[in-house]
Amino acid sequence: MRIRIDGTRAEVIDALFRLRLHFTVIAASRLYPDRARPAHWRIYLTAAPRRGR
C-alpha cells in the first residue's frame, strides 16, 4: 500500500517510527517541503502489514 505522511518534521519522523511497528516499509521517498505550509513536510511510503501480529 502507498501511504503519505505530512506534518512538521518532528511529526513526520514520529509517524514513521510508529508505522514501522505495524508495517514493513518497503520504500520511502525523500522528505519534500510543503509549498503551501513552509513548516510542513511530506514523505511517501510503500508498506505492507507485518505478518504474525
Side-chain angles (χ1 to χ4, degrees):
M1 73 179 75
R2 298 268 310 174
I3 301 170
R4 175 184 163 165
I5 303 171
D6 66 18
T8 65
R9 184 180 289 262
E11 290 170 338
V12 169
I13 292 168
D14 183 55
L16 184 55
F17 278 108
R18 290 173 185 264
L19 278 170
R20 285 186 169 173
L21 295 174
H22 304 284
F23 295 90
T24 299
V25 176
I26 299 165
S29 71
R30 67 179 182 84
L31 202 55
Y32 292 97
D34 191 331
R35 292 183 203 122
R37 297 175 290 180
H40 284 229
W41 298 81
R42 67 185 183 276
I43 190 170
Y44 300 91
L45 307 173
T46 302
R50 289 193 183 262
R51 301 285 182 218
R53 286 192 174 206

